[in-house]
Structures are given as C-alpha cells and as structure tokens.
Amino acid sequence: MIPLGPRLRSVRKKKGITQSSLARSIGISVSYLNLIEHNKRNISPVLIAKLTRALDIDPEHLSAPLDARLIHDLENLAAEPLFRDSRLEPKAPRDIVANHPRWAEGILKLYRTHQTSSEALEAMSQRLNRDPYMVESSHQIMNIITSIRSFSEILEEVPDLPDDVRNSMATGISAESRKLGSTAKSLFEFINEPDKSLRSSTPADQVNDFLIDRHNNFEELEEATTSLRARIHKSGHRLSDALFDYLQEKHGTQIEFQSPQARAMPGTAGQYHFEKKNRTLYLANTLPEASARFQLAQHLFELEYGDILKGILESADLTGDVYQGALRALLNYAASAFLFPYEPFLEACKKTRYDIQLLRRTFGGSFEQVCHRFTTLKRPDAPGVPFAFLRVDPAGNISKRYSLPNLPLPRGDGACPLLLAYRAFLTPGQICTQIGALPEGEQYLYIARTVSKHVGAYGEPDRMYAIMIACEVHYIDQVLYGDQLVGRGDQHITPLGIHCRTCARRSCQHRAHGSVLGTL
C-alpha cells in the first residue's frame, strides 16, 4: 500500500481543515477518512481528484505512481552489495517516502550518481582491458616513458658524456616526448568519444518514468484521436481501408507490403519503414492485419498531430534516445486510442468483464494491444480497472513495463521466478491466471499469455513474448478471469516477490539470490 495517508493528514492540518469538514466535502465518512490517513485503505483515482480539489493542491502532491516508483527504487538500492550486511528494514522505504519524499528523491539522486560513476569506471576498465586500440596505445605509452626514463638516467648518472652523445640523447628525449604527447592526445580523444555503454539509466527506464509521471493518461491524445477517427471512419467501411484511403488521398502516402528481407527496416524489427523521399510506407508482408492497422494509425497520427507530440515531449524536457523512445510510446498510445475509442471500449470492458478474446473480436485488435489499452483507461471521472502491464521474452528481457502504485514490476534481472509472466512460457498460447500475495500481504490477480510474432520466412524463428497484466484483488469481481480462483482458499494463493534481493521471504524454495532485507 502506498503511504499517502501521512501526507494527506499533514496537508489537511496545515490548512486548518478538520477531518469531519474534509470528509463531508468529498462525500465519505469521517471513519473512512481516518482509515485513509492511517494507511488502512487505498485511495482511488476518483477520490484523489476530490481530495486535491477540496484541499486546493496539485494532484502531483498525492501522486501514488510517483511514490510507488520512489519506494521501488529505494528497495532496489538496498540490494547493493554495499548494504549486504546492513540488515535494512523492509518497511523503511515506505516510511521515508511517506514522511520525507524530498529526502527520498535526494537519496536516490546521490545513489544514481554513485551508480553512474561506478558503472562508468567498470566500463572504462573493461574497455582498457579489451579494446585493441586501448591496449596497443597503453603499451606504446609505457614503452615511450621507459625510453625517456632510460635517456634521462644516463644523462644524470654519466656526467662526462661526450657532447655529441649528450646532444643525441637530448634529441632522442625531445622526439620521444613529442611522440608521447601525440599518442596521449589520440588516446584521450578516443576515451572522450561518446560511449552509450557508460550510461547507467537506460532510455527504456526513463521512458517508463515519463509515462508514470503522467499517470499513463494523455487527454490531448485521446481528444485528437477521437477527432481523427470521426473524420476518416465512415459507417460500414473497414477501418483498415479507411486508413489506406486517407493516407493516400490526404497525404500522398503510398503503402507497399514487402518481405522483411527485401528492405532494411532499422529499429523496427524488420516490420515497417517510411521513406520520406518517395513518401512510401513499407510494411512487412508477415504482419497480421491488426499489427498493420496499428502501424498505419501510428503513421497517420504523426503526420496529422506532430505538433501535439512535440509539445508533450518538449514540456517533459526529454532529449536524445529518451526523446525518441518517448515519441514511440506516445505513438503507441495514440494508435491504441484511435483503434479502441475510450468510451465505447470502456463500456465493452465493463459489459464483458474485461474478456480479452471478446474485445479482440469486437475491436479487431491483438492480445497485446487490448491489454495495453487497459492500462490507459485513466480518466479521473471515468476510470477502468487499474492494470499493470509487462512484456518479457523467454530470456527474461523486459521490453515493456507499466507498474501500479502498489505493484512495482521488475526492471531487470533477478526477478521473482514465480511471477506468472515467466510461468506462461510453460503453456504457450494459453491464458493463465494467478492470485499472488506480495511480502507485505497485498494480493493481486495476474493474467498472462504468450504471443508469437512472425518476422521472416519459413525456417526463421518467431519472436515470442509473454504478456502479463495484473490488478488489485479487490477488483476481481469486475474481471472474469478471477471467477475460477475465488473461494479456493489460501493454499491457492502464490507467495510472490519482485526481486530476490529485495524479497524478505527467506524460506522461499525458488530463491536465486540472497536477500538483503530482514526476514519476513
């Protein structure tokens, strides 16, 4: 549970508002507000909106996603070898974030600076040891220094050297010194070349933080896609055909399907590529219709609303690879909002109780696209069930991740092997379900399934992923996948963690790494 209660209580008292007055203004009982202030109840997005209006504060002040990220990052910090013998208390990160959020941010900033320096030193050490040019230059510099030292020692220790020999050695020292300067300059220039391997925080992590900061809700994109869909989608016409026609007639874009081997499509896993010079969008002929339609929607939105995208990114002060990654994330969001319009999709979700297969048939999307859209139903006045989202490959590489306030998902290696996303690979193509309990007792409903993406000709391996979504267990009556799990008893609840090193379940039989936290 994210500890927003103490912060809420502090703001209320500073403004001189009583519990009864605040409870009355937002339509809840005094006893319920008291439970919230003592972290005994969760705060829904709708209630947070009411509280921020009643207290006249910025919604970010009660930002559960931001707090969740701070807590998760502090817990990861505890996994550092530096703290291995410190016996850190598992609940401390939540207390620090609840009472001193600025201190939490400062601690993490200091840690990340340390981490960046350490990883840079490690990367430089590896570079020194393995890079042929570095090795060769280092040996060359050592040889030159040895030569200069030898000449200097002779000149110092043999005072009666003939003048011609002394002059010759002086000339040699001068030449070797120039060589040393030139070699050292070249080496320093080589060292100072940008090296992406020295960055400690990956662009993917920074993009995910950007989405969490915005609560994965972009109303400006929702409004723009609603307007765009109304302009191009005529009743009775296939949406794919409408996209084709509009791109060709309005923007002069030609669309061609080709074999992935026929054209280099950098950075897109060989699935699509746009060439500006001939205004042609090349799509892989291996793409399913849902994926092709998604790419068309992305491309059209970028053409029509590039200024909106630019404004969002510039306001977040993003640059370089993070800017490009965030741009792709926003285009994914926009395409999803275009293909699954907010109000009709949310209504269908409630009617079918989030039946992914029925929603796929109704809206023509893929399993991953439907699950991804679940995570963006965040309008304060009309929210859906809050879902977390994870996409992982069989090697454990996480390529998409969106956490819940109380449910941080693993960032890298060392994740809990009992997490349903990893178990899904044992039953490819089948939807798996699980109720999992985190170390502090919070329970979640997990839903996962593997998906395969064809990327080439016969004989080439498909790309396989596990797609997992999760929601708090008190939403289980709104999601049909929980029906078979209700009432089965505690023995069917799986004890989970996030990472082995920050999990306090010392008796876990599936542990891969030792915990740095106290025993649960």
Side-chain angles (χ1 to χ4, degrees), residues 236-515:
H237 288 70
R238 293 173 70 246
L239 188 54
S240 297
D241 294 337
L243 284 166
F244 265 90
D245 294 342
Y246 191 86
L247 277 167
Q248 290 177 340
E249 295 170 6
K250 176 72 182 295
H251 294 282
T253 300
Q254 300 303 310
I255 300 163
E256 293 187 15
F257 286 89
Q258 290 190 347
S259 165
Q261 293 79 19
R263 181 172 297 276
M265 300 182 185
T268 60
Q271 300 302 294
Y272 64 95
H273 176 64
F274 179 65
E275 286 194 2
K276 291 184 179 180
K277 63 180 181 180
N278 59 5
R279 303 196 63 78
T280 301
L281 179 64
Y282 296 96
L283 298 175
N285 56 15
T286 55
L287 279 178
E289 182 180 354
S291 299
R293 185 168 54 243
F294 197 84
Q295 300 301 338
L296 292 175
Q298 276 192 338
H299 183 68
L300 176 57
F301 190 88
E302 188 170 16
L303 291 174
E304 295 263 325
Y305 295 102
D307 55 336
I308 292 180
L309 296 168
K310 184 178 179 181
I312 294 173
L313 296 171
E314 288 183 348
S315 67
D317 196 25
L318 304 178
T319 59
D321 290 344
V322 181
Y323 183 101
Q324 294 303 319
L327 174 59
R328 288 192 295 272
L330 292 180
L331 287 172
N332 284 338
Y333 185 108
S336 180
F338 178 84
L339 299 173
F340 310 103
Y342 199 102
E343 287 84 0
F345 185 74
L346 179 59
E347 182 181 353
C349 287
K350 294 179 178 179
K351 183 178 180 180
T352 65
R353 297 179 62 221
Y354 292 86
D355 187 326
I356 300 170
Q357 296 302 91
L358 284 179
L359 293 168
R360 289 182 63 188
R361 288 196 289 270
T362 302
F363 292 90
S366 69
F367 186 90
E368 181 179 344
Q369 289 168 8
V370 170
C371 290
H372 177 265
R373 184 54 166 155
F374 287 166
T375 69
T376 62
L377 300 177
K378 296 291 186 66
R379 282 184 180 167
D381 58 341
V385 171
F387 281 99
F389 178 95
L390 186 74
R391 188 178 76 177
V392 62
D393 70 13
N397 299 303
I398 296 169
S399 49
K400 286 186 181 179
R401 179 177 60 89
Y402 182 76
S403 300
L404 284 176
N406 294 330
L407 178 60
L409 294 174
R411 285 182 180 263
D413 58 1
C416 177
L418 294 177
L419 200 63
L420 192 62
Y422 304 110
R423 315 291 284 185
F425 289 108
L426 301 175
T427 54
Q430 297 182 25
I431 293 180
C432 310
T433 58
Q434 175 191 63
I435 292 180
L438 294 183
E440 292 194 351
E442 306 101 320
Q443 294 184 5
Y444 294 87
L445 170 65
Y446 296 84
I447 305 150
R449 199 199 107 169
T450 61
V451 297
S452 295
K453 300 190 177 186
H454 305 287
V455 295
Y458 173 76
E460 295 187 19
D462 293 342
R463 286 158 52 211
M464 178 178 278
Y465 299 101
I467 306 297
M468 185 188 77
I469 55 175
C471 67
E472 294 181 51
V473 79
H474 66 254
Y475 292 103
I476 200 167
D477 61 327
Q478 300 180 44
V479 183
L480 66 85
Y481 298 103
D483 291 353
Q484 61 183 325
L485 302 174
V486 173
R488 295 183 63 187
D490 290 348
Q491 67 271 23
H492 294 285
I493 297 175
T494 305
L496 299 174
I498 306 299
H499 292 94
C500 278
R501 291 199 179 279
T502 56
C503 178
R505 300 184 190 277
R506 292 190 176 274
S507 61
C508 178
Q509 300 300 309
H510 301 270
R511 177 174 293 284
H513 305 284
S515 175

